[in-house]
Amino acid sequence: IACLIMYLFAEFDDAANLLAANPDATTISIDEPVEIPKNQHSRLQEPGREEDDELLGTDDSDKTELLAGQKKSAPFWTFDYYQTFFDVDTYQVLDRIKGSVFPVPGKNFVRLYIRSNPDLYGPFWICATLVFTIAVSGNLSNFFIHLGKPTYRYVPEFRKVSIAATTIYAYAWLVPLALWGFLMWRNSKVMNIVSYSFLEIVCVYGYSLFIYIPTAMLWIIPQRVVRWVLVVFSLCLSGSVLVMTFWPAVRDDNRRIAVATVATILLLHALLAVGCLAYFFDAPELDIPAPIIPAHNSTTKVVLEQ
Amino acid sequence: FPGLADVSISQDIPVEGEITVPVGSQSPDDDYSTLDEPVKDTIMRDLKAVGKKFVHVMYPRKSSALLRDWDLWGPLVLCVSLALMLQGGSADSKDDGGPQFAEVFVIIWFGAVVITLNSKLLGGTISFFQSLCVLGYCVMPLTVAMLVCRLVLLAGAGTVSFIVRLIVVGAMFAWSTLASTAFLADSQPPNRKALVVYPIFLFYFVISWMILTFTPQ
């Protein structure tokens, strides 16, 4: 993982050099009306964001970005306000999922796929699916592991569903909240080129959890090696999406703080995967053969007596 | 009224007539006044409406009867009977057993509310209670599956019974999902249909899982 991170840092250093060399690049800034307070910081960074867009490629020409400026104007107590967070079509959701599973090196997930249209559909339903996938897969895996044993009775373990739900929803909402607060605080100290709104961070985290759904299904296989390989593989994929998203947001900061932030993000992500594996999936044991020593003793006794 | 200032009635013309309100039996209010009918009629009417909706779920056609006159009696009855039948599962400790009554109730109702909110947020034109009504009534095939499973489990709990239960639950899950999709998909914008159908699929999958993993004491 360290090699991957160093490689990614090199990529972003290149991008930063390009930006430094071309500060007068013409940008198109899209006017957006005054929005709710938590979006204001990212609006202030508008010109810088457009430059990043140019560097990262704007090959997706959907008009929703042009219309994005006119949509978020309803007050927060109306139903229409929340409807703006579900303004996605099927193909957009599928594109975002694809982007989280196949991260393209150098491309920022938020800039490329979310593009000022963060949605809550993806994070919410991916988390719901993940909760039930982990609970069902854990149950199935335990069933297959303990199948032959005579003392085993199948239990549905329904309590674990609520535990899984609490854990995953807490991770998908509280960690972005903490990260957003931290980034806002650092923003007030150091002017960053790239900064994200709270919903964009929730979006990235939600979509990055998608890879764990097939991973959880494959964790049914009761081989320790297979499970750990899956953990490392999915961690690399979703971790790289997160790193590529958040490294541009912290790289202008103090080097140590930037590295510490990215390391914490990865650590929490790894903790989630390993914790789910440890809690919901019993360890696959090897079968212990029945002890044969007492029988051996009695036969030797018989021989001696004769 | 300045224009009427100079209207006057001559003293010679008598002003007389009759003011009567015809009390006829053709006033439309009588048809809707159900206060005087026998209680049996009232109950039978509601029961017939519920029964008609059950038939609509059994043979899902694109009829609007289910949507127009929504009621939540059917979903309530189905939910309670499903939750009751899911009781009595085996558990070594409280933590390992199947869902409790309250958990089933909450999952069904909270799940239906969340799916309805989801479809409305995505731009659906169906009303809140109509959607709840459809989702609740389409739980019926799964309730039938639960009944069949309990009967099969009375006969034994081996591999054969598991395969029979798996087939029955799988078929009823497909039926529920298709029935509710037939009713709800039309009210969605066309480029978001899959986004609305997927949560319904997940909802019935979870209920099917609870039914399939039910193991008796």
Side-chain angles (χ1 to χ4, degrees):
Chain A
I1 293 186
C3 296
L4 181 65
I5 294 178
M6 294 318 292
Y7 164 75
L8 292 169
F9 288 177
E11 290 271 337
F12 290 123
D13 275 344
D14 288 343
N17 288 340
L18 273 174
L19 183 57
N22 199 5
D24 301 327
T26 51
T27 61
I28 305 165
S29 65
I30 296 169
D31 246 307
E32 296 181 42
V34 175
E35 296 180 8
I36 49 172
K38 58 189 176 199
N39 272 339
Q40 273 168 7
H41 279 274
S42 54
R43 297 295 154 253
L44 289 174
Q45 314 293 339
E46 206 55 72
R49 226 204 239 170
E50 296 311 320
E51 287 185 314
D52 258 289
D53 253 335
E54 286 198 336
L55 290 174
L56 298 173
T58 54
D59 42 356
D60 192 16
S61 64
D62 49 343
K63 60 177 173 18
T64 52
E65 172 146 36
L66 292 172
L67 293 173
Q70 288 104 38
K71 64 178 174 128
K72 290 195 175 83
S73 51
F76 70 90
W77 55 84
T78 59
F79 188 72
D80 290 337
Y81 172 73
Y82 296 103
Q83 223 166 6
T84 60
F85 301 133
F86 283 77
D87 193 15
V88 280
D89 292 337
T90 309
Y91 77 91
Q92 282 175 315
V93 172
L94 290 176
D95 273 345
R96 292 176 185 193
I97 291 178
K98 218 166 29 164
S100 76
V101 175
F102 304 117
V104 180
K107 301 250 178 175
N108 187 330
F109 180 77
V110 175
R111 290 290 85 84
L112 193 57
Y113 290 103
I114 305 222
R115 305 185 132 251
S116 313
N117 187 18
D119 71 301
L120 287 180
Y121 177 91
F124 182 78
W125 287 109
I126 290 177
C127 289
T129 310
L130 186 60
V131 164
F132 288 112
T133 308
I134 286 189
V136 167
S137 301
N139 203 234
L140 270 178
S141 140
N142 293 350
F143 172 69
F144 285 129
I145 286 178
H146 299 296
L147 188 50
K149 308 208 180 104
T151 54
Y152 174 69
R153 283 210 65 169
Y154 170 75
V155 284
E157 290 178 323
F158 198 75
R159 274 291 176 288
K160 293 199 169 171
V161 172
S162 23
I163 296 175
T166 316
T167 315
I168 289 171
Y169 273 101
Y171 177 80
W173 286 86
L174 293 182
V175 171
L177 185 66
L179 187 61
W180 173 74
F182 177 76
L183 287 177
M184 286 296 114
W185 174 60
R186 293 311 300 177
N187 243 356
S188 66
K189 302 250 178 115
V190 176
M191 203 54 146
N192 278 325
I193 296 180
V194 174
S195 82
Y196 302 115
S197 71
F198 172 62
L199 284 167
E200 287 169 345
I201 301 184
V202 166
C203 226
V204 174
Y205 263 88
Y207 281 103
S208 73
L209 285 178
F210 178 82
I211 188 72
Y212 287 134
I213 295 176
T215 309
M217 290 198 264
L218 287 174
W219 273 341
I220 297 179
I221 302 172
Q223 296 297 326
R224 217 179 283 250
V225 173
V226 169
R227 286 182 179 179
W228 281 100
V229 163
L230 283 169
V231 168
V232 169
F233 182 66
S234 59
L235 196 58
C236 277
L237 279 181
S238 60
S240 68
V241 169
L242 289 176
V243 164
M244 283 195 282
T245 305
F246 290 111
W247 178 246
V250 292
R251 71 179 159 209
D252 299 318
D253 209 340
N254 182 353
R255 195 78 180 185
R256 275 195 292 185
I257 292 189
V259 172
T261 310
V262 171
T264 313
I265 293 176
L266 282 178
L267 189 68
L268 287 173
H269 215 61
L271 213 60
L272 179 78
V274 171
C276 283
L277 180 61
Y279 184 71
F280 293 101
F281 294 81
D282 287 349
E285 319 151 1
L286 302 165
D287 270 329
I288 306 171
I292 53 172
I293 302 169
H296 192 245
N297 273 342
S298 62
T299 47
T300 46
K301 246 207 231 168
V302 168
V303 167
L304 286 173
E305 279 174 5
Q306 283 182 345
Chain B
F1 300 106
L4 295 178
D6 43 350
V7 169
S8 59
I9 299 176
S10 143
Q11 302 296 331
D12 305 335
I13 304 171
V15 177
E16 58 178 79
E18 273 187 21
I19 302 179
T20 53
V21 176
V23 184
S25 59
Q26 61 268 48
S27 80
D29 280 349
D30 270 359
D31 291 342
Y32 297 152
S33 158
T34 56
L35 212 50
D36 296 329
E37 64 178 11
V39 173
K40 186 167 90 81
D41 280 354
T42 314
I43 294 180
M44 285 313 294
R45 185 176 51 245
D46 280 341
L47 276 180
K48 278 206 198 99
V50 170
K52 209 159 40 162
K53 291 207 191 66
F54 278 133
V55 169
H56 274 295
V57 174
M58 296 298 292
Y59 304 108
R61 291 183 306 274
K62 280 190 184 19
S63 84
S64 57
L66 202 69
L67 294 182
R68 209 178 30 234
D69 310 316
W70 60 267
D71 74 89
L72 293 178
W73 282 113
L76 183 68
V77 163
L78 288 170
C79 183
V80 167
S81 53
L82 188 62
L84 281 177
M85 283 195 278
L86 278 169
Q87 294 308 297
S90 75
D92 297 329
S93 71
K94 252 185 102 210
D95 283 346
D96 279 350
Q100 303 295 314
F101 183 92
E103 284 170 337
V104 177
F105 221 82
V106 161
I107 282 188
I108 292 182
W109 286 100
F110 186 64
V113 165
V114 164
I115 293 176
T116 308
L117 277 180
N118 176 65
S119 76
K120 283 190 78 68
L121 283 168
L122 282 170
T125 53
I126 200 172
S127 99
F128 184 76
F129 286 107
Q130 279 172 352
S131 174
L132 279 188
C133 170
V134 168
L135 287 168
Y137 271 102
C138 289
V139 170
M140 189 187 74
L142 287 169
T143 312
V144 167
M146 182 74 222
L147 199 59
V148 169
C149 282
R150 281 214 89 149
L151 292 174
V152 167
L153 279 169
L154 283 179
T159 314
V160 172
S161 99
F162 174 73
I163 294 188
V164 168
R165 279 185 290 140
L166 181 64
I167 295 176
V168 167
V169 171
M172 293 299 155
F173 159 62
W175 195 339
S176 287
T177 312
L178 289 173
S180 61
T181 310
F183 288 118
L184 289 178
D186 281 341
S187 61
Q188 301 302 320
N191 48 347
R192 295 181 183 183
K193 274 207 177 37
L195 295 185
V196 171
V197 168
Y198 172 70
I200 299 179
F201 170 88
L202 187 65
F203 176 63
Y204 288 124
F205 178 80
V206 170
I207 299 181
S208 313
W209 177 256
M210 287 196 295
I211 293 175
L212 191 58
T213 60
F214 173 77
T215 45
Q217 200 54 270

Coordinates of all heavy atoms in Angstrom, one line a residue, chain B residues 26-84:
Chain B
Q26 N -84.3 12.2 -4.5 CA -83.2 12.1 -5.5 C -82.0 12.9 -5.1 O -81.1 13.2 -6.0 CB -83.7 12.4 -6.9 CG -84.2 13.8 -7.1 CD -85.7 13.9 -6.8 OE1 -86.2 13.3 -5.8 NE2 -86.4 14.5 -7.7
S27 N -81.9 13.4 -3.9 CA -80.7 14.2 -3.5 C -79.5 13.3 -3.4 O -79.6 12.2 -2.9 CB -80.9 14.9 -2.2 OG -80.7 14.0 -1.2
P28 N -78.4 13.6 -4.0 CA -77.2 12.7 -4.0 C -76.7 12.4 -2.6 O -75.9 11.4 -2.5 CB -76.2 13.4 -4.9 CG -76.6 14.9 -4.8 CD -78.0 14.9 -4.6
D29 N -77.0 13.2 -1.6 CA -76.4 12.9 -0.3 C -76.8 11.5 0.2 O -76.1 10.9 0.9 CB -76.9 14.0 0.7 CG -76.0 15.2 0.5 OD1 -75.0 15.1 -0.2 OD2 -76.4 16.3 1.1
D30 N -78.0 11.1 -0.2 CA -78.5 9.8 0.4 C -77.6 8.7 0.0 O -77.4 7.7 0.8 CB -79.9 9.5 -0.1 CG -81.0 10.1 0.8 OD1 -80.6 10.7 1.8 OD2 -82.2 10.0 0.5
D31 N -77.0 8.7 -1.2 CA -76.2 7.6 -1.6 C -75.0 7.5 -0.7 O -74.4 6.4 -0.5 CB -75.7 7.8 -3.1 CG -76.9 7.6 -4.0 OD1 -77.9 7.1 -3.6 OD2 -76.8 8.1 -5.2
Y32 N -74.4 8.6 -0.2 CA -73.2 8.6 0.6 C -73.5 8.5 2.1 O -72.5 8.5 2.8 CB -72.3 9.8 0.2 CG -71.8 9.8 -1.2 CD1 -71.6 10.9 -1.9 CD2 -71.7 8.6 -1.9 CE1 -71.1 11.0 -3.2 CE2 -71.3 8.6 -3.2 CZ -71.0 9.8 -3.9 OH -70.6 9.8 -5.2
S33 N -74.7 8.6 2.4 CA -75.0 8.7 3.9 C -75.0 7.3 4.3 O -76.0 6.5 4.1 CB -76.3 9.4 4.1 OG -76.8 9.0 5.4
T34 N -74.0 6.8 5.0 CA -74.0 5.5 5.4 C -74.2 5.3 6.9 O -73.9 4.3 7.5 CB -72.6 4.8 5.1 OG1 -71.6 5.7 5.7 CG2 -72.4 4.8 3.6
L35 N -74.8 6.4 7.5 CA -74.9 6.3 9.0 C -76.1 5.4 9.4 O -76.1 4.9 10.5 CB -75.2 7.7 9.5 CG -74.7 8.1 10.8 CD1 -73.2 7.7 10.9 CD2 -74.9 9.6 11.1
D36 N -77.0 5.2 8.5 CA -78.2 4.5 8.9 C -78.2 3.1 8.5 O -79.1 2.3 8.7 CB -79.5 5.2 8.3 CG -79.6 6.6 8.8 OD1 -79.2 6.8 10.0 OD2 -80.2 7.4 8.1
E37 N -77.2 2.6 7.7 CA -77.2 1.3 7.3 C -76.8 0.3 8.4 O -76.1 0.7 9.3 CB -76.3 1.1 6.1 CG -74.8 1.3 6.5 CD -73.9 1.1 5.3 OE1 -74.4 1.0 4.2 OE2 -72.7 1.1 5.5
P38 N -77.2 -0.9 8.2 CA -76.8 -1.9 9.2 C -75.3 -2.1 9.3 O -74.6 -1.9 8.3 CB -77.4 -3.2 8.8 CG -78.2 -2.9 7.6 CD -78.1 -1.5 7.2
V39 N -74.7 -2.4 10.5 CA -73.3 -2.5 10.6 C -72.7 -3.6 9.7 O -71.6 -3.5 9.2 CB -73.0 -2.9 12.1 CG1 -71.5 -3.2 12.3 CG2 -73.4 -1.7 13.0
K40 N -73.5 -4.6 9.5 CA -73.0 -5.7 8.6 C -72.7 -5.2 7.2 O -71.7 -5.5 6.6 CB -74.1 -6.8 8.5 CG -73.6 -8.0 7.7 CD -74.6 -9.2 7.9 CE -75.7 -9.2 6.8 NZ -75.3 -9.7 5.6
D41 N -73.5 -4.2 6.7 CA -73.2 -3.7 5.4 C -71.9 -2.9 5.4 O -71.1 -3.0 4.4 CB -74.4 -2.7 5.0 CG -75.6 -3.5 4.5 OD1 -75.4 -4.7 4.3 OD2 -76.6 -2.9 4.2
T42 N -71.7 -2.1 6.4 CA -70.5 -1.3 6.5 C -69.2 -2.3 6.4 O -68.3 -2.1 5.7 CB -70.4 -0.5 7.8 OG1 -71.7 0.1 7.9 CG2 -69.3 0.5 7.7
I43 N -69.3 -3.3 7.3 CA -68.1 -4.2 7.4 C -67.9 -4.9 6.1 O -66.8 -5.0 5.6 CB -68.3 -5.1 8.6 CG1 -68.3 -4.3 9.9 CG2 -67.2 -6.2 8.6 CD1 -68.4 -5.2 11.1
M44 N -69.1 -5.4 5.5 CA -68.9 -6.2 4.3 C -68.4 -5.3 3.2 O -67.6 -5.8 2.3 CB -70.3 -6.8 3.9 CG -70.8 -7.9 4.7 SD -69.5 -9.2 5.0 CE -69.3 -9.8 3.3
R45 N -68.7 -4.1 3.1 CA -68.2 -3.2 2.1 C -66.7 -3.1 2.1 O -66.0 -3.2 1.2 CB -68.9 -1.9 2.1 CG -68.4 -1.0 0.9 CD -69.1 0.3 0.8 NE -69.1 1.0 2.0 CZ -70.1 1.3 2.8 NH1 -71.3 1.0 2.4 NH2 -70.0 2.0 3.9
D46 N -66.2 -2.8 3.4 CA -64.8 -2.7 3.5 C -64.1 -4.0 3.3 O -63.0 -4.1 2.6 CB -64.4 -2.2 4.9 CG -64.6 -0.7 5.0 OD1 -64.6 -0.1 4.0 OD2 -64.7 -0.2 6.2
L47 N -64.7 -5.1 3.8 CA -64.1 -6.4 3.5 C -64.0 -6.8 2.0 O -63.0 -7.3 1.5 CB -64.9 -7.5 4.3 CG -64.5 -7.7 5.7 CD1 -65.4 -8.8 6.3 CD2 -63.1 -8.0 5.9
K48 N -65.1 -6.4 1.3 CA -65.1 -6.7 -0.1 C -64.0 -5.9 -0.8 O -63.3 -6.4 -1.7 CB -66.4 -6.3 -0.7 CG -67.5 -7.4 -0.6 CD -68.6 -7.3 -1.7 CE -69.8 -8.0 -1.2 NZ -70.9 -7.2 -0.7
A49 N -63.8 -4.6 -0.4 CA -62.7 -3.8 -1.0 C -61.4 -4.4 -0.7 O -60.5 -4.5 -1.6 CB -62.8 -2.4 -0.4
V50 N -61.2 -4.9 0.5 CA -59.9 -5.5 0.8 C -59.7 -6.8 0.0 O -58.6 -7.0 -0.6 CB -59.8 -5.8 2.3 CG1 -58.6 -6.6 2.7 CG2 -59.7 -4.5 3.1
G51 N -60.8 -7.6 0.0 CA -60.7 -8.8 -0.8 C -60.4 -8.6 -2.3 O -59.6 -9.3 -2.9
K52 N -61.0 -7.6 -2.8 CA -60.8 -7.3 -4.2 C -59.3 -6.9 -4.5 O -58.7 -7.3 -5.5 CB -61.7 -6.1 -4.7 CG -62.1 -6.1 -6.1 CD -63.3 -5.4 -6.5 CE -63.5 -4.0 -5.9 NZ -64.4 -3.2 -6.6
K53 N -58.7 -6.2 -3.5 CA -57.3 -5.9 -3.7 C -56.4 -7.1 -3.6 O -55.4 -7.2 -4.3 CB -56.9 -4.8 -2.6 CG -57.5 -3.5 -2.8 CD -56.7 -2.4 -2.2 CE -57.4 -1.1 -2.2 NZ -58.6 -1.1 -1.3
F54 N -56.8 -8.0 -2.7 CA -56.0 -9.3 -2.6 C -56.1 -10.0 -4.0 O -55.0 -10.5 -4.5 CB -56.6 -10.2 -1.6 CG -56.1 -9.9 -0.2 CD1 -57.0 -9.8 0.9 CD2 -54.8 -9.6 0.1 CE1 -56.6 -9.5 2.2 CE2 -54.4 -9.3 1.4 CZ -55.3 -9.3 2.4
V55 N -57.2 -10.0 -4.6 CA -57.3 -10.7 -5.9 C -56.5 -9.9 -6.9 O -55.8 -10.6 -7.7 CB -58.8 -10.7 -6.4 CG1 -58.9 -11.1 -7.8 CG2 -59.6 -11.6 -5.5
H56 N -56.4 -8.6 -6.8 CA -55.6 -7.8 -7.7 C -54.1 -8.2 -7.6 O -53.4 -8.2 -8.5 CB -55.8 -6.3 -7.5 CG -56.9 -5.8 -8.3 ND1 -57.0 -5.7 -9.6 CD2 -58.1 -5.2 -7.8 CE1 -58.1 -5.1 -10.0 NE2 -58.8 -4.8 -8.9
V57 N -53.7 -8.5 -6.3 CA -52.3 -8.8 -6.1 C -52.1 -10.2 -6.7 O -51.0 -10.5 -7.2 CB -52.0 -8.8 -4.6 CG1 -50.6 -9.3 -4.4 CG2 -52.1 -7.4 -4.2
M58 N -53.0 -11.1 -6.5 CA -52.8 -12.5 -7.0 C -52.7 -12.5 -8.5 O -51.8 -13.2 -9.0 CB -54.0 -13.4 -6.6 CG -54.2 -13.6 -5.2 SD -52.9 -14.4 -4.4 CE -53.0 -16.0 -5.1
Y59 N -53.4 -11.7 -9.2 CA -53.3 -11.6 -10.6 C -53.0 -10.2 -11.0 O -53.9 -9.4 -11.3 CB -54.6 -12.0 -11.3 CG -55.1 -13.4 -10.9 CD1 -56.2 -13.6 -10.0 CD2 -54.4 -14.5 -11.3 CE1 -56.6 -14.9 -9.7 CE2 -54.8 -15.8 -10.9 CZ -55.9 -16.0 -10.1 OH -56.2 -17.2 -9.7
P60 N -51.7 -9.8 -10.9 CA -51.4 -8.4 -11.1 C -51.6 -8.0 -12.6 O -50.9 -8.4 -13.5 CB -49.9 -8.3 -10.7 CG -49.4 -9.7 -10.7 CD -50.5 -10.7 -10.6
R61 N -52.6 -7.2 -12.8 CA -52.8 -6.5 -14.1 C -52.6 -5.0 -13.8 O -52.7 -4.6 -12.7 CB -54.2 -6.8 -14.6 CG -54.4 -8.2 -15.1 CD -55.8 -8.2 -15.6 NE -56.8 -7.7 -14.7 CZ -57.4 -8.4 -13.8 NH1 -57.1 -9.7 -13.6 NH2 -58.3 -7.9 -13.0
K62 N -52.5 -4.3 -14.8 CA -52.3 -2.8 -14.6 C -53.6 -2.2 -14.4 O -54.0 -1.3 -15.1 CB -51.6 -2.2 -15.8 CG -50.1 -2.4 -15.9 CD -49.5 -1.6 -16.9 CE -48.0 -1.8 -17.1 NZ -47.4 -3.0 -16.6
S63 N -54.3 -2.6 -13.3 CA -55.5 -1.9 -13.0 C -55.3 -0.8 -12.0 O -54.4 -0.9 -11.2 CB -56.6 -2.9 -12.5 OG -56.4 -3.0 -11.1
S64 N -56.1 0.2 -12.0 CA -55.8 1.3 -11.1 C -56.7 1.2 -9.8 O -56.7 2.1 -9.0 CB -56.1 2.6 -11.8 OG -57.4 2.6 -12.3
A65 N -57.4 0.1 -9.7 CA -58.3 0.0 -8.5 C -57.5 0.0 -7.2 O -57.8 0.6 -6.2 CB -59.1 -1.3 -8.6
L66 N -56.3 -0.7 -7.3 CA -55.5 -0.8 -6.1 C -55.0 0.6 -5.7 O -54.8 0.9 -4.6 CB -54.3 -1.7 -6.4 CG -53.6 -2.3 -5.2 CD1 -54.6 -3.3 -4.5 CD2 -52.4 -3.0 -5.6
L67 N -54.7 1.4 -6.7 CA -54.1 2.7 -6.5 C -55.1 3.7 -6.0 O -54.9 4.5 -5.2 CB -53.4 3.2 -7.7 CG -52.1 2.4 -8.1 CD1 -51.5 3.1 -9.3 CD2 -51.1 2.3 -7.0
R68 N -56.3 3.6 -6.7 CA -57.3 4.7 -6.4 C -57.8 4.6 -5.0 O -57.8 5.6 -4.3 CB -58.4 4.5 -7.5 CG -59.1 5.8 -7.8 CD -60.1 5.7 -8.9 NE -60.8 4.4 -8.8 CZ -60.9 3.5 -9.8 NH1 -60.4 3.8 -11.0 NH2 -61.5 2.3 -9.6
D69 N -58.4 3.5 -4.6 CA -59.0 3.4 -3.3 C -58.0 2.7 -2.4 O -58.1 1.5 -2.1 CB -60.3 2.6 -3.4 CG -61.2 3.2 -4.5 OD1 -61.3 4.4 -4.6 OD2 -61.7 2.3 -5.2
W70 N -57.0 3.4 -1.9 CA -56.1 2.8 -1.0 C -56.7 2.6 0.3 O -57.5 3.3 0.8 CB -54.8 3.6 -0.9 CG -55.0 5.0 -0.4 CD1 -55.3 6.1 -1.0 CD2 -55.0 5.3 1.0 NE1 -55.4 7.1 -0.2 CE2 -55.3 6.7 1.1 CE3 -54.8 4.6 2.2 CZ2 -55.3 7.4 2.3 CZ3 -54.9 5.3 3.4 CH2 -55.2 6.6 3.4
D71 N -56.2 1.5 1.0 CA -56.5 1.3 2.4 C -55.4 0.6 3.0 O -54.6 -0.1 2.3 CB -57.9 0.6 2.6 CG -57.7 -0.9 2.3 OD1 -57.4 -1.7 3.2 OD2 -57.9 -1.3 1.2
L72 N -55.3 0.7 4.3 CA -54.1 0.0 5.0 C -54.6 -1.1 5.8 O -53.8 -1.7 6.6 CB -53.3 1.1 5.8 CG -52.6 2.1 5.0 CD1 -51.9 3.1 5.9 CD2 -51.6 1.5 4.1
W73 N -55.8 -1.6 5.7 CA -56.3 -2.7 6.5 C -55.5 -4.0 6.1 O -55.1 -4.7 6.9 CB -57.8 -3.0 6.3 CG -58.6 -2.0 7.0 CD1 -59.5 -1.1 6.5 CD2 -58.8 -2.0 8.4 NE1 -60.1 -0.4 7.5 CE2 -59.7 -0.9 8.7 CE3 -58.2 -2.7 9.5 CZ2 -60.1 -0.6 10.0 CZ3 -58.6 -2.4 10.8 CH2 -59.5 -1.3 11.0
G74 N -55.5 -4.2 4.7 CA -54.9 -5.4 4.2 C -53.4 -5.5 4.7 O -53.0 -6.5 5.2
P75 N -52.6 -4.4 4.4 CA -51.2 -4.5 4.9 C -51.1 -4.7 6.4 O -50.2 -5.5 6.8 CB -50.7 -3.1 4.5 CG -51.5 -2.6 3.4 CD -52.8 -3.2 3.6
L76 N -52.0 -4.2 7.2 CA -51.9 -4.4 8.6 C -52.1 -5.8 9.0 O -51.4 -6.4 9.7 CB -52.9 -3.5 9.3 CG -52.9 -3.6 10.9 CD1 -51.6 -3.0 11.4 CD2 -54.0 -2.9 11.5
V77 N -53.2 -6.4 8.4 CA -53.5 -7.8 8.7 C -52.3 -8.7 8.2 O -51.9 -9.6 9.0 CB -54.8 -8.2 7.9 CG1 -54.9 -9.7 7.9 CG2 -56.0 -7.6 8.6
L78 N -51.8 -8.4 7.0 CA -50.7 -9.3 6.5 C -49.5 -9.1 7.4 O -48.8 -10.1 7.7 CB -50.3 -8.8 5.1 CG -51.4 -9.2 4.0 CD1 -51.0 -8.5 2.7 CD2 -51.4 -10.7 3.8
C79 N -49.2 -7.9 7.8 CA -48.0 -7.7 8.6 C -48.1 -8.4 9.9 O -47.1 -9.0 10.4 CB -47.8 -6.2 8.8 SG -46.3 -5.7 9.6
V80 N -49.2 -8.2 10.6 CA -49.4 -8.8 11.9 C -49.3 -10.3 11.8 O -48.7 -11.0 12.6 CB -50.7 -8.4 12.5 CG1 -51.1 -9.2 13.7 CG2 -50.7 -6.9 12.9
S81 N -50.0 -10.9 10.8 CA -50.0 -12.4 10.7 C -48.6 -12.9 10.3 O -48.1 -13.9 10.9 CB -51.0 -12.9 9.6 OG -50.8 -12.2 8.4
L82 N -47.8 -12.2 9.5 CA -46.5 -12.6 9.2 C -45.6 -12.5 10.4 O -44.8 -13.4 10.7 CB -45.9 -11.7 8.1 CG -44.5 -12.1 7.5 CD1 -44.6 -13.4 6.9 CD2 -44.1 -11.0 6.5
A83 N -45.7 -11.4 11.2 CA -44.9 -11.3 12.4 C -45.3 -12.3 13.4 O -44.4 -12.8 14.1 CB -45.1 -9.9 13.0
L84 N -46.6 -12.7 13.5 CA -46.9 -13.7 14.4 C -46.4 -15.1 14.0 O -45.9 -15.9 14.8 CB -48.5 -13.8 14.5 CG -49.1 -12.8 15.4 CD1 -50.6 -12.9 15.3 CD2 -48.7 -12.9 16.8

